[in-house]
Amino acid sequence: MRLKRLGYIIFIVVGMCILACCSTKKNTFRTRAYHNVTSRYNIYFNGREAFKNGVKTLEHNYKEPFNDILPVFYYKEKSYLSGISSDMDKAYEKASKVIKEHSITSKPITKRPASTPRQKAFYAQREFNKWVDDSYLLLGKSHFYKANFFEAQKNFQFVLNEYKGQAICHETNLWFARTKVEMGQYAEAREILDKLLDDNDCPEKIKKECYPIYADIFIQQKMYEDAIQYLTLSIDNTRKKKLRIRYKYIMAQLYQEIGDNANALKYYDEVIKMNPKYDIAFNAKINKATAFDGSSSSKDVIHSLNKLLKDEKNKEYQDQIYFAMANVYYTDGDEEEAIECYEKSIETSVSNSQQKAISYLSIGEIYYSYRKYVEAQPYLDSCMKFLPETYRNYGEIKIKSDNLNILAANVHGVEYEDSVQRIANMSSKERNNYIDKIIEKIRQEEEQKRQEEEIANMNSNLYNQEFGFNNQKVSGKWYFYNESVSKFGMAEFKKKWGDRPLEDNWRRSNKNTIDLFADNTDTNEDEDSDEDKPEQKKLVTDKKSREYYLQNLPLTDSLKRVSTNKIENYMFNIGMTYMSLIHDNQYAINALEDFIKRFPNSEYKPMSLYYLYQLYNEANNTAKANAAKSECISKYPESNYAKALSDPDFQKNLKARDKQLEKEYADCYKSYIKNDFTTINRKCKTLIAQNSDSYLIPKFKLLLAMSDGKQNGTDALRKNLEEYVKEFPKTEEGSYAKKILAYLNSNESNASFESAILSQSQSDTPKSEEETPEEKELYEFEDNVPHYFVISGKQEFVDFNRLKFNFINYNLDYFTNFNFDIEIKEIGTKYALLLVKTLSTNKQAMSYLELIEYNPEIYDGIDKVFTSKFIISQKNYQTLIQDKDISKYQKFFEEYYGL
């Protein structure tokens, strides 16, 4: 019985001791020991293990992008980071727990004052748990691996400020530099690394880890020779075989990139000799072939690649082998064989979409180099369907592809209209005979397809081959056969051109009608009278009926005029595209000469002559330049183009005048904001009379109409806008006026001037009432993450510099403890965003938004009706910048943020 009582007493005493030790308010030897031990061997240990496990998982799941220069670090590919978010969340949770529950900041009670330097340093500490600083560092690292770089930076900066001069600062600076690199702040990152290397107290282990970061910085900046230097240091300062292999492989790639194939081959050989994983060894062998420079026998290289091709182990790598073979043939000057191998690479590419993209790109570049731009277009366009945005030179490739899409759309537009006109000009009997032959051919093909499916499941390949032959035979003749320019489906090309939706204009990224020069080449049939427009009938979809083909033919005079107008616009666009986008002056000259020959009385002729004059001069063809100049001046003396050719200072003076007019317009708009209607009427009418040929005239007249409506109500606004759209039906301002009119007409009972303007304040184009699934998936609601506050508006109507000034003053008055940044970001050429960043969470951002709502000084000098406000997470902001559709995000914001 006594033993039992003694046990209870011991249990109670031990429990009381533990409870006493648990307190963080007392700072004794026992409490420090308890919290340090608990933090190190329990909570922090588990957090650190979760972090390590996440890093290992990332490395294990990572698939190397062998078609590009390998990243120095696995975390460079952000798409893989979501797979380790649970580990990083756990690391964050454990680190936070150490800080919240085990931090000891109270000073220890002492009977005697500290006398020695060591004692003074001990009592001067702000934190007495040795693992709290490590926990703050772990917090930053977990944020880093979740790509929350702003939060990571804040944590690292806190450690550097709070624990200044302590050993942990060296590792923290290393991670701080990594974060700067990921944020694109390369100069700041190098400055941090330089200080670490110059610090005599910095451990050698930390210094060694600086070299790969330097290499990463230089690779990002395409300073490959500098990157090679630091990769060499990285190899010399690591014993890990896996890292040495990786660094050498990257060095080989960089040598290949700068054209030093000898060193590239040397390092690829070194990689292979180190017995790496199969995929690395295989790609090193492949890249050795791509580094072929003609100095060795191409037959030997092709032979070795054929051996790889026959190896069963390389079945999934056939696309890469064919690509390497193509490069050898191309280097050897055999473009025909090269293209054939690139095509085989595309056909055999099953899961490696990036390889498929690069093979498409390679074929496109060959055609482009031979100035076969229309032939190059579908390959560049298909490349963009598979090429990841992280691929180097992505932006340049996209611009080239977009430019070729514009060119091809206009070339195919001419071919299409010419072909339908030729068929429309046939006699009815002859036309029906041709259509009947086409229908019969379709029936035969359907029967053939059915028979082939019964024999074997090889229809797609066989039909592609047959279709390619037919297309080659009749290209440019009959639009029914010429699938590249018709509006009919391209399902037969699905395998060759990738997994594309069945749709018209399949070759183009932008499926909208091409309108290269909006002011000059509007091909909208609205310009024709109502009687010219065909009666709207239900479209026939049966390809085995005559009506299917007849419905798109210009069989009336009015439809032929529409078709001819389209050809005129297309041909002019072709010349301008060659000159301004493709930058092939000779092709531009040929195209503009053909245009003038076919349309000698076109309204675009003065412009064509003006640009031909410039192109002839650049080609040193003085005789033709003078002829174009003389014709432009003599036949079109009142045009700006003739004036520019006659007066060398005309354009300079015109720009100066328009620049002054822009200032005048801004002043008039300020008067509009202040409701100074007398000044608006006087100044606008005077400026319109004096500058009738300025591009700003529609803006001044719209301002007059709006001013009168603002002063006299919606009836006056409606009348003014009805007159305005008759005068300027096809201008941007005219479209804007039409939309306000539509709103006024559909809301007659409750429409006000403010509501009418606000209804059009976000978008230039009408948006569908329902969001598509793609729109819903575009943005993702993120709770408890940093947000920006945003005010958006049209630059024409909102003085964003004034708005920024107002916000700076407002934040200085009311948010002095917050270091908010105010930034203006343009969205396209018309809209802009004012950003206040960064607010720590969506809740804080919403509170800020609500305060702004009720503060009139923010909008001093600004017409609030032309603005809209919302909050947005950092991730969604990046999406908005790419998508550029503010109204789409506004819908998302109203749905998910409760407004």
Side-chain angles (χ1 to χ4, degrees):
M1 195 71 175
R2 286 181 179 176
L3 288 173
K4 193 172 183 180
R5 286 181 64 189
L6 182 62
Y8 280 130
I9 293 169
I10 294 172
F11 176 77
I12 291 169
V13 170
V14 171
M16 291 176 68
C17 290
I18 292 173
L19 287 172
C21 292
C22 284
S23 173
T24 58
K25 293 182 180 179
K26 290 184 179 181
N27 188 344
T28 66
F29 173 77
R30 283 180 300 176
T31 57
R32 290 195 299 274
Y34 170 79
H35 288 291
N36 273 293
V37 170
T38 304
S39 299
R40 178 177 182 179
Y41 295 107
N42 185 1
I43 307 171
Y44 176 77
F45 173 82
N46 289 331
R48 185 177 61 184
E49 288 303 304
F51 176 80
K52 288 180 179 178
N53 185 65
V55 174
K56 286 181 181 178
T57 301
L58 171 64
E59 187 175 333
H60 179 265
N61 294 339
Y62 192 79
K63 288 188 176 181
E64 300 285 7
F66 287 109
N67 301 113
D68 204 351
I69 296 173
L70 298 190
V72 178
F73 302 106
Y74 295 109
Y75 57 71
K76 302 297 290 186
E77 183 54 64
K78 303 300 182 288
S79 60
Y80 286 93
L81 299 184
S82 59
I84 61 169
S85 60
S86 59
D87 287 311
M88 295 304 151
D89 286 340
K90 185 176 180 180
Y92 180 89
E93 177 190 339
K94 296 298 182 183
S96 299
K97 189 173 181 180
V98 171
I99 295 166
K100 290 178 182 178
E101 299 181 10
H102 297 276
S103 173
I104 303 175
T105 56
S106 58
K107 300 293 183 182
I109 299 172
T110 177
K111 295 179 181 179
R112 286 181 249 174
S115 57
T116 67
R118 185 175 178 182
Q119 288 176 333
K120 289 178 180 179
F122 175 76
Y123 287 111
Q125 290 181 127
R126 297 174 67 176
E127 175 60 60
F128 290 86
N129 186 333
K130 298 177 182 178
W131 299 97
V132 168
D133 55 350
D134 295 276
S135 296
Y136 274 115
L137 177 58
L138 184 58
L139 281 180
K141 288 157 70 174
S142 63
H143 276 304
F144 181 90
Y145 270 94
K146 293 186 72 175
N148 295 332
F149 300 120
F150 287 101
E151 289 300 312
Q153 180 176 244
K154 282 165 60 177
N155 277 276
F156 298 141
Q157 191 67 64
F158 176 82
V159 174
L160 294 171
N161 293 338
E162 191 74 9
Y163 302 97
K164 192 172 183 179
Q166 297 186 29
I168 196 170
C169 290
H170 295 123
E171 185 181 356
T172 304
N173 266 317
L174 194 73
W175 283 95
F176 198 23
R178 292 177 191 261
T179 306
K180 290 290 186 183
V181 174
E182 295 311 300
M183 295 173 74
Q185 299 170 3
Y186 303 123
E188 292 92 330
R190 287 179 60 184
E191 186 178 346
I192 295 169
L193 295 173
D194 289 344
K195 288 179 180 178
L196 282 174
L197 291 180
D198 292 338
D199 188 349
N200 294 328
D201 296 327
C202 182
E204 283 300 315
K205 180 183 176 183
I206 297 295
K207 290 184 177 182
K208 289 176 182 178
E209 290 188 52
C210 291
Y211 301 131
I213 303 175
Y214 273 115
D216 182 32
I217 292 170
F218 288 122
I219 290 173
Q220 298 304 314
Q221 296 182 301
K222 298 184 180 181
M223 299 167 67
Y224 297 137
E225 292 180 353
D226 293 314
I228 288 170
Q229 174 187 342
Y230 281 99
L231 282 171
T232 304
L233 290 170
S234 301
I235 294 168
D236 294 340
N237 285 280
T238 183
R239 294 182 178 181
K240 294 181 179 179
K241 180 181 176 183
K242 189 172 183 179
L243 286 179
R244 290 170 63 83
I245 290 171
R246 184 178 189 80
Y247 296 154
K248 286 189 177 185
Y249 190 97
I250 297 172
M251 281 184 67
Q253 289 183 302
L254 296 181
Y255 274 123
Q256 192 171 354
E257 192 68 25
I258 62 177
D260 188 347
N261 287 336
N263 271 315
L265 292 170
K266 171 189 171 184
Y267 279 97
Y268 282 132
D269 280 332
E270 288 189 19
V271 169
I272 294 168
K273 290 175 183 177
M274 293 177 76
N275 194 27
K277 285 168 50 178
Y278 184 76
D279 60 342
I280 295 178
F282 171 81
N283 279 279
K285 292 176 183 177
I286 289 293
N287 285 356
K288 281 183 65 179
T290 61
F292 167 75
D293 59 3
S295 58
S296 56
S297 170
S298 60
K299 290 182 179 179
D300 293 340
V301 179
I302 294 294
H303 178 71
S304 64
L305 289 172
N306 273 317
K307 285 177 65 178
L308 289 174
L309 199 60
K310 294 174 184 177
D311 192 333
E312 192 65 26
K313 289 187 297 183
N314 297 330
K315 190 171 184 180
E316 64 177 295
Y317 302 118
Q318 286 186 351
D319 54 347
Q320 292 173 253
I321 299 171
Y322 278 122
F323 181 78
M325 292 174 73
N327 286 342
V328 174
Y329 282 124
Y330 183 72
T331 304
D332 219 19
D334 192 342
E335 287 88 359
E336 190 175 331
E337 281 292 339
I339 291 174
E340 185 178 336
C341 285
Y342 285 132
E343 293 277 12
K344 288 180 180 178
S345 174
I346 293 167
E347 291 173 10
T348 55
S349 184
V350 179
S351 58
N352 192 343
S353 59
Q354 185 165 319
Q355 178 61 69
K356 180 175 283 193
I358 296 170
S359 297
Y360 276 127
L361 176 63
S362 299
I363 299 175
E365 291 290 6
I366 290 175
Y367 283 125
Y368 197 95
S369 67
Y370 283 100
R371 302 165 81 185
K372 296 182 178 181
Y373 302 115
V374 177
E375 289 89 338
Q377 179 269 332
Y379 291 98
L380 268 295
D381 187 42
S382 293
C383 166
M384 297 311 300
K385 300 295 179 185
F386 300 99
L387 193 68
E389 292 185 14
T390 54
Y391 186 78
R392 58 199 168 96
N393 302 328
Y394 176 89
E396 296 172 22
I397 297 167
K398 187 177 187 306
I399 290 171
K400 182 180 284 188
S401 175
D402 290 344
N403 292 342
L404 289 178
N405 287 341
I406 293 171
L407 176 67
N410 285 284
V411 170
H412 293 326
V414 173
E415 292 175 355
Y416 172 80
E417 297 300 334
D418 278 342
S419 65
V420 294
Q421 285 195 27
R422 280 197 296 270
I423 298 170
N425 290 333
M426 293 179 180
S427 67
S428 178
K429 181 179 179 181
E430 187 181 11
R431 184 165 53 245
N432 287 337
N433 285 338
Y434 271 106
I435 292 174
D436 290 342
K437 287 180 182 179
I438 293 165
I439 293 171
E440 179 59 30
K441 180 174 176 58
I442 290 174
R443 289 197 175 105
Q444 291 175 3
E445 288 174 347
E446 288 179 350
E447 176 62 22
Q448 181 180 354
K449 181 179 178 181
R450 186 188 66 77
Q451 292 176 4
E452 288 170 352
E453 286 175 346
E454 290 177 358
I455 298 169
N457 190 22
M458 297 178 62
N459 170 64
S460 182
N461 285 337
L462 294 174
Y463 193 84
N464 265 336
Q465 293 168 10
E466 178 189 331
F467 188 86
F469 170 75
N470 288 337
N471 190 53
Q472 186 178 13
K473 220 169 42 169
V474 300
S475 177
K477 294 185 178 180
W478 307 113
Y479 87 112
F480 306 123
Y481 291 139
N482 193 342
E483 298 286 341
S484 66
V485 299
S486 76
K487 295 182 179 179
F488 308 139
M490 291 296 293
E492 294 85 358
F493 271 79
K494 188 172 182 179
K495 180 177 180 182
K496 182 176 181 182
W497 300 111
D499 189 16
R500 297 162 177 265
L502 183 59
E503 59 186 356
D504 294 343
N505 304 319
W506 65 280
R507 289 180 185 264
R508 287 190 249 150
S509 296
N510 180 2
K511 304 300 187 290
N512 298 322
T513 303
I514 296 299
D515 190 8
L516 183 58
F517 305 101
D519 293 335
N520 301 314
T521 61
D522 193 341
T523 60
N524 194 327
E525 282 84 349
D526 287 346
E527 62 187 276
D528 298 289
S529 60
D530 290 339
E531 58 267 22
D532 284 343
K533 295 178 183 177
E535 182 184 349
Q536 293 296 317
K537 297 179 181 179
K538 187 176 181 180
L539 291 176
V540 179
T541 58
D542 182 7
K543 290 187 178 183
K544 288 177 283 189
S545 70
R546 287 179 180 175
E547 290 73 18
Y548 174 79
Y549 302 96
L550 292 171
Q551 65 188 348
N552 289 321
L553 295 177
L555 297 174
T556 67
D557 290 341
S558 60
L559 289 176
K560 285 178 182 176
R561 283 200 305 274
V562 170
S563 177
T564 300
N565 287 340
K566 288 182 178 180
I567 293 173
E568 180 182 355
N569 290 322
Y570 288 142
M571 290 188 70
F572 177 74
N573 286 353
I574 290 169
M576 299 304 292
T577 302
Y578 278 130
M579 183 183 75
S580 303
L581 301 180
I582 308 298
H583 304 295
D584 189 323
N585 287 356
Q586 187 55 54
Y587 274 36
I589 289 171
N590 297 341
L592 289 174
E593 287 177 343
D594 290 342
F595 167 72
I596 291 175
K597 184 177 180 180
R598 185 164 180 177
F599 297 98
N601 300 315
S602 171
E603 62 179 302
Y604 311 131
K605 186 176 178 181
M607 192 189 306
S608 301
L609 289 169
Y610 174 80
Y611 286 118
L612 277 172
Y613 168 77
Q614 293 183 332
L615 291 167
Y616 288 140
N617 271 334
E618 289 183 24
N620 295 318
N621 193 334
T622 306
K624 283 195 171 185
N626 290 334
K629 177 180 178 180
S630 298
E631 185 176 0
C632 186
I633 294 172
S634 61
K635 291 186 177 181
Y636 310 98
E638 297 304 315
S639 70
N640 283 344
Y641 302 102
K643 292 175 183 177
L645 292 173
S646 302
D647 180 5
D649 294 326
F650 175 79
Q651 283 185 310
K652 180 181 176 182
N653 296 334
L654 193 66
K655 286 181 181 178
R657 184 203 69 172
D658 285 341
K659 190 173 182 180
Q660 180 60 35
L661 271 180
E662 288 172 1
K663 292 180 181 178
E664 297 284 0
Y665 177 77
D667 290 339
C668 287
Y669 183 74
K670 289 175 183 176
S671 298
Y672 170 79
I673 297 296
K674 295 175 182 177
N675 296 330
D676 185 356
F677 303 117
T678 303
T679 301
I680 293 173
N681 285 327
R682 176 176 51 80
K683 289 192 71 174
C684 283
K685 288 178 179 177
T686 302
L687 291 167
I688 289 169
Q690 294 174 348
N691 304 278
S692 59
D693 61 339
S694 172
Y695 76 95
L696 289 165
I697 294 303
K699 294 183 182 292
F700 280 109
K701 289 195 174 185
L702 180 61
L703 195 58
L704 273 176
M706 301 285 284
S707 173
D708 186 49
K710 192 176 184 182
Q711 185 178 11
N712 298 310
T714 55
D715 289 340
L717 179 64
R718 182 184 288 107
K719 180 183 176 182
N720 293 339
L721 294 181
E722 284 173 350
E723 294 175 359
Y724 184 88
V725 296
K726 289 179 182 177
E727 185 176 3
F728 302 103
K730 296 186 177 301
T731 63
E732 177 189 337
E733 293 78 15
S735 299
Y736 180 76
K738 286 178 185 177
K739 285 179 271 185
I740 296 178
L741 268 177
Y743 176 84
L744 289 171
N745 292 332
S746 60
N747 296 273
E748 288 191 36
S749 60
N750 59 355
S752 64
F753 176 83
E754 289 78 12
S755 65
I757 303 305
L758 188 60
S759 69
Q760 301 305 323
S761 64
Q762 283 303 306
S763 176
D764 285 330
T765 56
K767 302 294 174 185
S768 60
E769 301 238 344
E770 296 182 3
E771 286 183 288
T772 64
E774 290 79 6
E775 288 175 354
K776 290 181 178 178
E777 294 172 3
L778 189 61
Y779 296 105
E780 177 184 348
F781 178 74
E782 297 180 283
D783 195 17
N784 291 321
V785 301
H787 274 62
Y788 302 152
F789 169 81
V790 181
I791 286 186
S792 65
K794 203 170 184 181
Q795 296 184 73
E796 181 180 346
F797 299 134
V798 180
D799 185 346
F800 276 91
N801 289 322
R802 176 62 181 268
L803 193 60
K804 181 177 180 181
F805 176 78
N806 293 350
F807 265 93
I808 290 171
N809 288 334
Y810 176 77
N811 287 337
L812 286 173
D813 289 340
Y814 298 102
F815 294 94
T816 53
N817 295 327
F818 293 81
N819 188 23
F820 290 141
D821 289 328
I822 312 295
E823 179 181 312
I824 296 172
K825 175 71 176 179
E826 291 187 355
I827 301 291
T829 57
K830 301 166 189 172
Y831 287 92
L833 306 176
L834 180 135
L835 293 93
V836 179
K837 59 182 190 180
T838 302
L839 297 115
S840 60
T841 66
N842 51 304
K843 296 179 181 64
Q844 186 188 71
M846 284 301 295
S847 298
Y848 187 87
L849 182 146
E850 290 164 4
L851 290 170
I852 294 299
E853 176 70 22
Y854 300 106
N855 196 306
E857 65 189 78
I858 283 294
Y859 294 99
D860 182 32
I862 305 294
D863 197 335
K864 186 178 178 181
V865 74
F866 291 112
T867 67
S868 182
K869 57 187 174 300
F870 51 83
I871 67 170
I872 188 168
S873 67
Q874 295 167 348
K875 180 180 177 182
N876 285 338
Y877 173 69
Q878 295 301 326
T879 304
L880 174 60
I881 294 303
Q882 293 178 359
D883 186 56
K884 301 186 186 306
D885 190 337
I886 301 172
S887 64
K888 198 181 294 181
Y889 178 77
Q890 191 78 36
K891 288 180 183 178
F892 170 84
F893 169 71
E894 291 168 0
E895 179 177 352
Y896 286 91
Y897 287 85
L899 284 184

